[in-house]
Amino acid sequence: MNRPRHQAGRQDESKGRRPAHRVRLPGFVDDEIGLGDVVKHATRTLGVMPCGGCESRARRLNQWMTLSGRGEAKG
């Protein structure tokens, strides 16, 4: 059965969540860090005060994508 393109990579909820996308950035990232943590750090450095939705946004972005350094991307 053909599934629509937007659902092609999704797993059933009963099977659990998909693993986060992993991006290797040698020279820029030493340890593994989530995209949400990167955004949180950047906005705080710029002086933007966190709001109530910032933690949930960071959590969702961390689940969606992680950045790693030189080592093999785990997954």
Short mmCIF file of all heavy atoms in Angstrom, two decimals:
data_model
loop_
_atom_site.label_atom_id
_atom_site.label_comp_id
_atom_site.label_asym_id
_atom_site.label_seq_id
_atom_site.Cartn_x
_atom_site.Cartn_y
_atom_site.Cartn_z
N MET A 1 0.84 -1.18 0.00
CA MET A 1 0.00 0.00 0.00
C MET A 1 0.89 1.24 0.00
O MET A 1 1.80 1.36 0.79
CB MET A 1 -0.88 -0.02 1.24
CG MET A 1 -1.80 1.15 1.35
SD MET A 1 -3.00 0.83 2.64
CE MET A 1 -2.72 2.23 3.64
N ASN A 2 0.64 2.16 -0.90
CA ASN A 2 1.42 3.38 -0.98
C ASN A 2 0.92 4.38 0.05
O ASN A 2 -0.26 4.63 0.16
CB ASN A 2 1.32 3.99 -2.38
CG ASN A 2 2.02 3.16 -3.41
OD1 ASN A 2 2.94 2.42 -3.06
ND2 ASN A 2 1.60 3.26 -4.65
N ARG A 3 1.88 4.94 0.78
CA ARG A 3 1.54 5.95 1.77
C ARG A 3 1.86 7.32 1.20
O ARG A 3 2.76 7.45 0.39
CB ARG A 3 2.35 5.73 3.05
CG ARG A 3 1.92 4.46 3.72
CD ARG A 3 2.68 4.03 4.93
NE ARG A 3 3.60 4.94 5.54
CZ ARG A 3 4.40 4.58 6.52
NH1 ARG A 3 4.38 3.36 6.98
NH2 ARG A 3 5.23 5.44 7.06
N PRO A 4 1.11 8.35 1.61
CA PRO A 4 1.42 9.70 1.13
C PRO A 4 2.86 10.08 1.48
O PRO A 4 3.42 9.61 2.47
CB PRO A 4 0.43 10.58 1.89
CG PRO A 4 -0.66 9.67 2.31
CD PRO A 4 -0.04 8.33 2.48
N ARG A 5 3.45 10.93 0.66
CA ARG A 5 4.85 11.31 0.84
C ARG A 5 5.14 11.88 2.22
O ARG A 5 6.17 11.59 2.82
CB ARG A 5 5.24 12.31 -0.25
CG ARG A 5 6.67 12.71 -0.20
CD ARG A 5 6.96 13.72 -1.29
NE ARG A 5 8.33 14.12 -1.20
CZ ARG A 5 9.23 13.88 -2.13
NH1 ARG A 5 8.89 13.24 -3.21
NH2 ARG A 5 10.47 14.29 -1.98
N HIS A 6 4.25 12.70 2.78
CA HIS A 6 4.49 13.32 4.07
C HIS A 6 4.46 12.31 5.22
O HIS A 6 4.90 12.61 6.31
CB HIS A 6 3.50 14.46 4.33
CG HIS A 6 2.09 14.01 4.51
ND1 HIS A 6 1.28 13.74 3.43
CD2 HIS A 6 1.36 13.76 5.61
CE1 HIS A 6 0.09 13.35 3.87
NE2 HIS A 6 0.12 13.35 5.18
N GLN A 7 3.98 11.10 4.99
CA GLN A 7 3.95 10.08 6.03
C GLN A 7 4.95 8.97 5.76
O GLN A 7 5.03 8.01 6.52
CB GLN A 7 2.56 9.46 6.12
CG GLN A 7 1.51 10.41 6.63
CD GLN A 7 0.15 9.73 6.69
OE1 GLN A 7 -0.03 8.62 6.21
NE2 GLN A 7 -0.80 10.41 7.29
N ALA A 8 5.76 9.09 4.72
CA ALA A 8 6.64 8.00 4.30
C ALA A 8 7.64 7.59 5.38
O ALA A 8 7.92 6.42 5.53
CB ALA A 8 7.37 8.39 3.03
N GLY A 9 8.19 8.53 6.14
CA GLY A 9 9.21 8.18 7.12
C GLY A 9 8.68 7.99 8.53
O GLY A 9 9.44 7.70 9.44
N ARG A 10 7.41 8.13 8.72
CA ARG A 10 6.85 8.06 10.07
C ARG A 10 6.64 6.63 10.52
O ARG A 10 6.34 5.76 9.73
CB ARG A 10 5.52 8.79 10.14
CG ARG A 10 5.68 10.26 9.93
CD ARG A 10 4.38 10.95 10.14
NE ARG A 10 4.57 12.37 9.89
CZ ARG A 10 3.64 13.26 10.03
NH1 ARG A 10 2.44 12.90 10.40
NH2 ARG A 10 3.89 14.52 9.79
N GLN A 11 6.79 6.42 11.83
CA GLN A 11 6.49 5.12 12.41
C GLN A 11 5.17 5.22 13.13
O GLN A 11 4.71 6.29 13.49
CB GLN A 11 7.56 4.73 13.42
CG GLN A 11 8.89 4.43 12.81
CD GLN A 11 9.88 4.02 13.88
OE1 GLN A 11 9.59 4.09 15.06
NE2 GLN A 11 11.05 3.60 13.46
N ASP A 12 4.57 4.08 13.36
CA ASP A 12 3.33 4.05 14.14
C ASP A 12 3.64 4.47 15.57
O ASP A 12 4.71 4.19 16.09
CB ASP A 12 2.73 2.65 14.15
CG ASP A 12 2.27 2.23 12.78
OD1 ASP A 12 1.94 3.09 11.94
OD2 ASP A 12 2.22 1.01 12.54
N GLU A 13 2.70 5.16 16.21
CA GLU A 13 2.88 5.60 17.59
C GLU A 13 3.13 4.42 18.52
O GLU A 13 3.83 4.53 19.50
CB GLU A 13 1.65 6.39 18.06
CG GLU A 13 1.51 7.74 17.38
CD GLU A 13 2.64 8.68 17.70
OE1 GLU A 13 3.11 8.69 18.86
OE2 GLU A 13 3.08 9.40 16.79
N SER A 14 2.54 3.25 18.21
CA SER A 14 2.71 2.09 19.08
C SER A 14 4.15 1.57 19.05
O SER A 14 4.60 0.93 19.98
CB SER A 14 1.76 0.97 18.67
OG SER A 14 2.04 0.56 17.33
N LYS A 15 4.89 1.85 17.99
CA LYS A 15 6.27 1.39 17.87
C LYS A 15 7.25 2.36 18.52
O LYS A 15 8.43 2.07 18.63
CB LYS A 15 6.64 1.23 16.40
CG LYS A 15 5.88 0.12 15.71
CD LYS A 15 6.31 0.02 14.28
CE LYS A 15 5.50 -1.04 13.55
NZ LYS A 15 5.89 -1.11 12.14
N GLY A 16 6.82 3.51 18.93
CA GLY A 16 7.70 4.48 19.57
C GLY A 16 8.08 5.60 18.62
O GLY A 16 7.67 5.65 17.48
N ARG A 17 8.90 6.50 19.13
CA ARG A 17 9.30 7.67 18.36
C ARG A 17 10.45 7.33 17.42
O ARG A 17 11.24 6.45 17.67
CB ARG A 17 9.77 8.77 19.30
CG ARG A 17 8.65 9.30 20.14
CD ARG A 17 9.18 10.40 21.03
NE ARG A 17 8.09 10.98 21.74
CZ ARG A 17 7.64 12.19 21.52
NH1 ARG A 17 8.21 12.95 20.65
NH2 ARG A 17 6.63 12.66 22.20
N ARG A 18 10.53 8.10 16.36
CA ARG A 18 11.67 7.99 15.45
C ARG A 18 12.90 8.56 16.14
O ARG A 18 12.79 9.49 16.93
CB ARG A 18 11.42 8.78 14.17
CG ARG A 18 10.40 8.17 13.28
CD ARG A 18 10.33 8.91 11.99
NE ARG A 18 9.92 10.30 12.25
CZ ARG A 18 9.88 11.24 11.35
NH1 ARG A 18 10.23 10.99 10.12
NH2 ARG A 18 9.49 12.45 11.65
N PRO A 19 14.06 8.04 15.83
CA PRO A 19 15.27 8.64 16.40
C PRO A 19 15.50 10.02 15.80
O PRO A 19 15.05 10.32 14.71
CB PRO A 19 16.38 7.67 15.98
CG PRO A 19 15.82 6.91 14.84
CD PRO A 19 14.33 6.90 15.01
N ALA A 20 16.20 10.85 16.55
CA ALA A 20 16.49 12.21 16.10
C ALA A 20 17.42 12.17 14.89
O ALA A 20 18.23 11.27 14.74
CB ALA A 20 17.15 13.00 17.22
N HIS A 21 17.30 13.17 14.03
CA HIS A 21 18.24 13.32 12.93
C HIS A 21 19.58 13.68 13.56
O HIS A 21 19.64 14.46 14.50
CB HIS A 21 17.80 14.44 11.99
CG HIS A 21 16.50 14.19 11.32
ND1 HIS A 21 16.37 13.33 10.26
CD2 HIS A 21 15.27 14.67 11.57
CE1 HIS A 21 15.11 13.30 9.88
NE2 HIS A 21 14.41 14.10 10.67
N ARG A 22 20.64 13.13 13.04
CA ARG A 22 21.97 13.40 13.57
C ARG A 22 22.80 14.08 12.49
O ARG A 22 22.88 13.59 11.36
CB ARG A 22 22.65 12.12 14.00
CG ARG A 22 21.80 11.33 14.95
CD ARG A 22 22.56 11.00 16.18
NE ARG A 22 21.75 10.14 17.02
CZ ARG A 22 21.41 10.45 18.25
NH1 ARG A 22 21.82 11.57 18.77
NH2 ARG A 22 20.68 9.65 18.97
N VAL A 23 23.42 15.21 12.85
CA VAL A 23 24.25 15.96 11.93
C VAL A 23 25.64 16.08 12.53
O VAL A 23 25.78 16.50 13.68
CB VAL A 23 23.66 17.37 11.67
CG1 VAL A 23 24.56 18.19 10.77
CG2 VAL A 23 22.26 17.26 11.10
N ARG A 24 26.65 15.69 11.77
CA ARG A 24 28.04 15.81 12.24
C ARG A 24 28.59 17.16 11.83
O ARG A 24 28.52 17.54 10.67
CB ARG A 24 28.89 14.70 11.65
CG ARG A 24 28.59 13.36 12.25
CD ARG A 24 29.47 12.27 11.71
NE ARG A 24 30.87 12.62 11.82
CZ ARG A 24 31.80 12.29 10.92
NH1 ARG A 24 31.48 11.61 9.86
NH2 ARG A 24 33.04 12.64 11.09
N LEU A 25 29.15 17.90 12.80
CA LEU A 25 29.76 19.20 12.53
C LEU A 25 31.17 19.21 13.15
O LEU A 25 31.41 19.89 14.15
CB LEU A 25 28.92 20.33 13.12
CG LEU A 25 27.55 20.54 12.50
CD1 LEU A 25 26.78 21.60 13.26
CD2 LEU A 25 27.68 20.92 11.04
N PRO A 26 32.12 18.47 12.58
CA PRO A 26 33.47 18.45 13.14
C PRO A 26 34.07 19.84 13.16
O PRO A 26 33.94 20.61 12.21
CB PRO A 26 34.25 17.53 12.19
CG PRO A 26 33.26 16.88 11.32
CD PRO A 26 32.00 17.69 11.37
N GLY A 27 34.71 20.17 14.26
CA GLY A 27 35.33 21.49 14.39
C GLY A 27 34.42 22.54 14.99
O GLY A 27 34.88 23.56 15.47
N PHE A 28 33.12 22.31 14.96
CA PHE A 28 32.18 23.27 15.53
C PHE A 28 31.55 22.75 16.82
O PHE A 28 31.21 23.53 17.69
CB PHE A 28 31.06 23.58 14.52
CG PHE A 28 31.55 24.33 13.32
CD1 PHE A 28 31.76 23.68 12.13
CD2 PHE A 28 31.80 25.68 13.39
CE1 PHE A 28 32.23 24.35 11.03
CE2 PHE A 28 32.26 26.37 12.29
CZ PHE A 28 32.48 25.71 11.10
N VAL A 29 31.35 21.44 16.90
CA VAL A 29 30.69 20.84 18.06
C VAL A 29 31.61 19.78 18.62
O VAL A 29 32.09 18.92 17.89
CB VAL A 29 29.34 20.20 17.64
CG1 VAL A 29 28.67 19.57 18.83
CG2 VAL A 29 28.44 21.23 17.00
N ASP A 30 31.88 19.83 19.93
CA ASP A 30 32.73 18.82 20.57
C ASP A 30 31.91 17.63 21.04
O ASP A 30 32.25 16.49 20.78
CB ASP A 30 33.49 19.43 21.75
CG ASP A 30 34.50 20.46 21.28
OD1 ASP A 30 35.05 20.29 20.18
OD2 ASP A 30 34.72 21.43 22.02
N ASP A 31 30.85 17.88 21.78
CA ASP A 31 29.98 16.83 22.31
C ASP A 31 28.64 16.88 21.58
O ASP A 31 28.34 17.83 20.87
CB ASP A 31 29.74 17.02 23.81
CG ASP A 31 31.03 16.89 24.61
OD1 ASP A 31 31.86 16.04 24.24
OD2 ASP A 31 31.19 17.64 25.59
N GLU A 32 27.83 15.86 21.80
CA GLU A 32 26.50 15.85 21.19
C GLU A 32 25.61 16.87 21.90
O GLU A 32 25.60 16.94 23.13
CB GLU A 32 25.91 14.45 21.31
CG GLU A 32 24.64 14.29 20.54
CD GLU A 32 24.20 12.85 20.47
OE1 GLU A 32 24.81 12.09 19.71
OE2 GLU A 32 23.27 12.50 21.18
N ILE A 33 24.90 17.67 21.12
CA ILE A 33 24.00 18.69 21.67
C ILE A 33 22.76 18.77 20.79
O ILE A 33 22.83 18.60 19.58
CB ILE A 33 24.71 20.07 21.75
CG1 ILE A 33 23.82 21.10 22.44
CG2 ILE A 33 25.14 20.54 20.38
CD1 ILE A 33 24.54 22.39 22.78
N GLY A 34 21.64 19.00 21.42
CA GLY A 34 20.38 19.11 20.68
C GLY A 34 20.21 20.49 20.06
O GLY A 34 20.73 21.48 20.56
N LEU A 35 19.46 20.55 18.96
CA LEU A 35 19.22 21.81 18.29
C LEU A 35 18.50 22.80 19.21
O LEU A 35 18.78 23.99 19.19
CB LEU A 35 18.40 21.58 17.02
CG LEU A 35 18.07 22.82 16.19
CD1 LEU A 35 19.35 23.51 15.72
CD2 LEU A 35 17.21 22.44 15.00
N GLY A 36 17.59 22.30 20.05
CA GLY A 36 16.89 23.17 20.99
C GLY A 36 17.83 23.83 21.98
O GLY A 36 17.66 25.00 22.33
N ASP A 37 18.85 23.08 22.43
CA ASP A 37 19.84 23.65 23.35
C ASP A 37 20.69 24.72 22.66
O ASP A 37 21.06 25.72 23.28
CB ASP A 37 20.74 22.55 23.92
CG ASP A 37 19.97 21.60 24.81
OD1 ASP A 37 18.95 22.02 25.41
OD2 ASP A 37 20.38 20.42 24.91
N VAL A 38 20.98 24.52 21.37
CA VAL A 38 21.73 25.52 20.61
C VAL A 38 20.92 26.81 20.51
O VAL A 38 21.43 27.91 20.74
CB VAL A 38 22.09 24.99 19.20
CG1 VAL A 38 22.68 26.08 18.33
CG2 VAL A 38 23.03 23.81 19.30
N VAL A 39 19.64 26.69 20.17
CA VAL A 39 18.78 27.87 20.03
C VAL A 39 18.63 28.56 21.39
O VAL A 39 18.70 29.79 21.48
CB VAL A 39 17.40 27.48 19.46
CG1 VAL A 39 16.42 28.63 19.51
CG2 VAL A 39 17.56 26.97 18.03
N LYS A 40 18.45 27.77 22.45
CA LYS A 40 18.31 28.34 23.80
C LYS A 40 19.55 29.14 24.19
O LYS A 40 19.45 30.26 24.70
CB LYS A 40 18.08 27.22 24.81
CG LYS A 40 17.80 27.71 26.22
CD LYS A 40 17.76 26.64 27.28
CE LYS A 40 17.09 25.37 26.91
NZ LYS A 40 16.98 24.41 28.03
N HIS A 41 20.73 28.57 23.95
CA HIS A 41 21.97 29.26 24.29
C HIS A 41 22.14 30.53 23.46
O HIS A 41 22.53 31.58 23.99
CB HIS A 41 23.16 28.32 24.08
CG HIS A 41 24.48 28.94 24.40
ND1 HIS A 41 24.87 29.22 25.69
CD2 HIS A 41 25.48 29.37 23.59
CE1 HIS A 41 26.06 29.78 25.67
NE2 HIS A 41 26.45 29.88 24.39
N ALA A 42 21.84 30.46 22.16
CA ALA A 42 22.00 31.62 21.28
C ALA A 42 21.06 32.76 21.68
O ALA A 42 21.46 33.92 21.71
CB ALA A 42 21.75 31.22 19.83
N THR A 43 19.80 32.43 21.99
CA THR A 43 18.86 33.49 22.35
C THR A 43 19.21 34.12 23.69
O THR A 43 19.09 35.33 23.85
CB THR A 43 17.41 32.96 22.37
OG1 THR A 43 17.33 31.83 23.24
CG2 THR A 43 16.95 32.58 20.97
N ARG A 44 19.66 33.31 24.64
CA ARG A 44 20.07 33.89 25.93
C ARG A 44 21.29 34.77 25.78
O ARG A 44 21.41 35.79 26.45
CB ARG A 44 20.34 32.78 26.95
CG ARG A 44 19.06 32.17 27.47
CD ARG A 44 19.33 31.20 28.58
NE ARG A 44 18.07 30.60 29.01
CZ ARG A 44 17.99 29.58 29.82
NH1 ARG A 44 19.06 29.01 30.30
NH2 ARG A 44 16.80 29.10 30.16
N THR A 45 22.23 34.37 24.91
CA THR A 45 23.42 35.17 24.66
C THR A 45 23.04 36.52 24.05
O THR A 45 23.66 37.54 24.36
CB THR A 45 24.39 34.42 23.71
OG1 THR A 45 24.76 33.19 24.32
CG2 THR A 45 25.62 35.24 23.41
N LEU A 46 22.01 36.54 23.23
CA LEU A 46 21.55 37.79 22.62
C LEU A 46 20.69 38.63 23.56
O LEU A 46 20.29 39.73 23.20
CB LEU A 46 20.77 37.49 21.34
CG LEU A 46 21.60 36.89 20.21
CD1 LEU A 46 20.69 36.45 19.06
CD2 LEU A 46 22.64 37.89 19.72
N GLY A 47 20.37 38.09 24.73
CA GLY A 47 19.60 38.84 25.71
C GLY A 47 18.10 38.62 25.66
O GLY A 47 17.34 39.35 26.29
N VAL A 48 17.65 37.62 24.92
CA VAL A 48 16.22 37.31 24.84
C VAL A 48 15.85 36.49 26.06
O VAL A 48 16.44 35.43 26.31
CB VAL A 48 15.89 36.53 23.54
CG1 VAL A 48 14.43 36.15 23.51
CG2 VAL A 48 16.28 37.35 22.33
N MET A 49 14.90 36.97 26.83
CA MET A 49 14.48 36.26 28.03
C MET A 49 13.56 35.10 27.66
O MET A 49 12.67 35.26 26.82
CB MET A 49 13.74 37.21 28.99
CG MET A 49 14.59 38.38 29.45
SD MET A 49 16.14 37.89 30.22
CE MET A 49 15.55 37.05 31.66
N PRO A 50 13.77 33.92 28.26
CA PRO A 50 12.94 32.75 27.93
C PRO A 50 11.50 32.93 28.41
O PRO A 50 11.25 33.55 29.44
CB PRO A 50 13.62 31.60 28.66
CG PRO A 50 14.52 32.21 29.66
CD PRO A 50 14.81 33.61 29.23
N CYS A 51 10.58 32.39 27.63
CA CYS A 51 9.16 32.46 27.99
C CYS A 51 8.69 31.07 28.41
O CYS A 51 9.47 30.12 28.44
CB CYS A 51 8.35 32.98 26.81
SG CYS A 51 8.35 31.87 25.40
N GLY A 52 7.41 30.93 28.65
CA GLY A 52 6.85 29.66 29.09
C GLY A 52 6.94 28.55 28.06
O GLY A 52 7.10 27.38 28.40
N GLY A 53 6.89 28.88 26.79
CA GLY A 53 6.95 27.86 25.75
C GLY A 53 8.35 27.49 25.31
O GLY A 53 8.55 26.56 24.52
N CYS A 54 9.35 28.19 25.84
CA CYS A 54 10.72 27.95 25.40
C CYS A 54 11.21 26.54 25.74
O CYS A 54 11.91 25.92 24.93
CB CYS A 54 11.67 28.97 26.02
SG CYS A 54 11.44 30.64 25.37
N GLU A 55 10.88 26.03 26.90
CA GLU A 55 11.32 24.69 27.28
C GLU A 55 10.69 23.62 26.40
O GLU A 55 11.37 22.67 26.00
CB GLU A 55 11.02 24.41 28.76
CG GLU A 55 11.94 25.13 29.71
CD GLU A 55 13.41 24.76 29.52
OE1 GLU A 55 13.71 23.55 29.34
OE2 GLU A 55 14.26 25.66 29.53
N SER A 56 9.40 23.76 26.09
CA SER A 56 8.76 22.75 25.24
C SER A 56 9.30 22.84 23.81
O SER A 56 9.51 21.82 23.16
CB SER A 56 7.24 22.91 25.25
OG SER A 56 6.86 24.14 24.69
N ARG A 57 9.58 24.04 23.33
CA ARG A 57 10.19 24.20 22.01
C ARG A 57 11.56 23.55 21.98
O ARG A 57 11.89 22.80 21.06
CB ARG A 57 10.31 25.67 21.63
CG ARG A 57 11.09 25.86 20.33
CD ARG A 57 11.68 27.24 20.15
NE ARG A 57 12.16 27.92 21.33
CZ ARG A 57 13.40 27.79 21.84
NH1 ARG A 57 14.25 26.93 21.33
NH2 ARG A 57 13.76 28.48 22.89
N ALA A 58 12.37 23.81 23.01
CA ALA A 58 13.72 23.23 23.07
C ALA A 58 13.65 21.71 23.12
O ALA A 58 14.42 21.02 22.45
CB ALA A 58 14.47 23.78 24.28
N ARG A 59 12.71 21.17 23.88
CA ARG A 59 12.57 19.72 24.00
C ARG A 59 12.19 19.10 22.65
O ARG A 59 12.76 18.09 22.24
CB ARG A 59 11.52 19.38 25.06
CG ARG A 59 11.38 17.90 25.31
CD ARG A 59 10.41 17.56 26.45
NE ARG A 59 9.49 18.58 26.90
CZ ARG A 59 8.31 18.89 26.31
NH1 ARG A 59 7.93 18.25 25.25
NH2 ARG A 59 7.54 19.83 26.80
N ARG A 60 11.25 19.72 21.93
CA ARG A 60 10.84 19.20 20.62
C ARG A 60 11.99 19.29 19.60
O ARG A 60 12.20 18.36 18.82
CB ARG A 60 9.63 19.96 20.10
CG ARG A 60 8.35 19.58 20.83
CD ARG A 60 7.13 20.15 20.13
NE ARG A 60 7.29 21.57 19.81
CZ ARG A 60 6.72 22.58 20.44
NH1 ARG A 60 5.91 22.34 21.44
NH2 ARG A 60 6.93 23.82 20.07
N LEU A 61 12.73 20.40 19.60
CA LEU A 61 13.85 20.53 18.68
C LEU A 61 14.96 19.52 19.01
O LEU A 61 15.60 18.98 18.11
CB LEU A 61 14.41 21.95 18.70
CG LEU A 61 13.55 23.01 18.00
CD1 LEU A 61 14.13 24.40 18.25
CD2 LEU A 61 13.46 22.73 16.52
N ASN A 62 15.19 19.27 20.30
CA ASN A 62 16.19 18.28 20.70
C ASN A 62 15.79 16.89 20.24
O ASN A 62 16.65 16.09 19.85
CB ASN A 62 16.40 18.27 22.21
CG ASN A 62 17.18 19.47 22.69
OD1 ASN A 62 17.86 20.13 21.93
ND2 ASN A 62 17.07 19.76 23.96
N GLN A 63 14.51 16.58 20.27
CA GLN A 63 14.04 15.28 19.81
C GLN A 63 14.14 15.17 18.29
O GLN A 63 14.35 14.10 17.75
CB GLN A 63 12.58 15.04 20.22
CG GLN A 63 12.40 14.83 21.69
CD GLN A 63 10.94 14.82 22.09
OE1 GLN A 63 10.06 15.14 21.30
NE2 GLN A 63 10.68 14.46 23.33
N TRP A 64 14.04 16.29 17.59
CA TRP A 64 14.05 16.29 16.14
C TRP A 64 15.46 16.20 15.57
O TRP A 64 15.71 15.48 14.61
CB TRP A 64 13.35 17.55 15.63
CG TRP A 64 13.28 17.64 14.14
CD1 TRP A 64 12.60 16.80 13.30
CD2 TRP A 64 13.91 18.61 13.32
NE1 TRP A 64 12.78 17.21 12.00
CE2 TRP A 64 13.58 18.32 11.98
CE3 TRP A 64 14.73 19.71 13.60
CZ2 TRP A 64 14.04 19.08 10.93
CZ3 TRP A 64 15.17 20.47 12.54
CH2 TRP A 64 14.82 20.15 11.23
N MET A 65 16.43 16.96 16.17
CA MET A 65 17.78 16.98 15.60
C MET A 65 18.83 17.15 16.68
O MET A 65 18.66 17.95 17.59
CB MET A 65 17.92 18.12 14.60
CG MET A 65 19.29 18.19 13.94
SD MET A 65 19.41 19.46 12.69
CE MET A 65 18.38 18.75 11.42
N THR A 66 19.92 16.38 16.55
CA THR A 66 21.07 16.54 17.42
C THR A 66 22.30 16.78 16.56
O THR A 66 22.39 16.31 15.44
CB THR A 66 21.29 15.31 18.32
OG1 THR A 66 21.45 14.16 17.50
CG2 THR A 66 20.15 15.12 19.28
N LEU A 67 23.24 17.53 17.12
CA LEU A 67 24.48 17.84 16.44
C LEU A 67 25.61 17.13 17.19
O LEU A 67 25.63 17.11 18.42
CB LEU A 67 24.72 19.35 16.44
CG LEU A 67 23.56 20.20 15.93
CD1 LEU A 67 23.84 21.67 16.18
CD2 LEU A 67 23.29 19.93 14.48
N SER A 68 26.55 16.55 16.46
CA SER A 68 27.67 15.86 17.10
C SER A 68 28.97 16.30 16.48
O SER A 68 29.00 16.89 15.40
CB SER A 68 27.49 14.34 16.99
OG SER A 68 27.52 13.94 15.64
N GLY A 69 30.07 15.98 17.16
CA GLY A 69 31.40 16.37 16.70
C GLY A 69 32.03 15.35 15.78
O GLY A 69 31.37 14.76 14.93
N ARG A 70 33.30 15.09 15.98
CA ARG A 70 34.09 14.24 15.11
C ARG A 70 33.65 12.78 15.08
O ARG A 70 33.73 12.14 14.06
CB ARG A 70 35.56 14.27 15.53
CG ARG A 70 36.21 15.54 15.22
CD ARG A 70 37.69 15.43 15.59
NE ARG A 70 38.34 16.68 15.33
CZ ARG A 70 39.06 16.93 14.26
NH1 ARG A 70 39.22 15.99 13.36
NH2 ARG A 70 39.61 18.09 14.08
N GLY A 71 33.26 12.24 16.22
CA GLY A 71 32.94 10.82 16.31
C GLY A 71 31.81 10.41 15.37
O GLY A 71 31.13 11.24 14.78
N GLU A 72 31.64 9.13 15.25
CA GLU A 72 30.57 8.61 14.42
C GLU A 72 29.22 9.09 14.95
O GLU A 72 29.01 9.12 16.15
CB GLU A 72 30.57 7.09 14.42
CG GLU A 72 31.74 6.50 13.67
CD GLU A 72 31.62 6.70 12.18
OE1 GLU A 72 30.49 6.59 11.65
OE2 GLU A 72 32.64 6.96 11.53
N ALA A 73 28.34 9.45 14.06
CA ALA A 73 26.97 9.83 14.46
C ALA A 73 26.26 8.57 14.93
O ALA A 73 26.20 7.57 14.21
CB ALA A 73 26.23 10.46 13.29
N LYS A 74 25.77 8.59 16.15
CA LYS A 74 25.09 7.43 16.71
C LYS A 74 23.69 7.35 16.18
O LYS A 74 23.02 8.35 16.05
CB LYS A 74 25.08 7.51 18.23
CG LYS A 74 26.46 7.54 18.83
CD LYS A 74 26.37 7.76 20.32
CE LYS A 74 27.75 7.93 20.92
NZ LYS A 74 27.69 8.29 22.31
N GLY A 75 23.21 6.20 15.97
CA GLY A 75 21.84 6.13 15.51
C GLY A 75 21.52 4.82 15.06
O GLY A 75 20.83 4.04 14.94
#
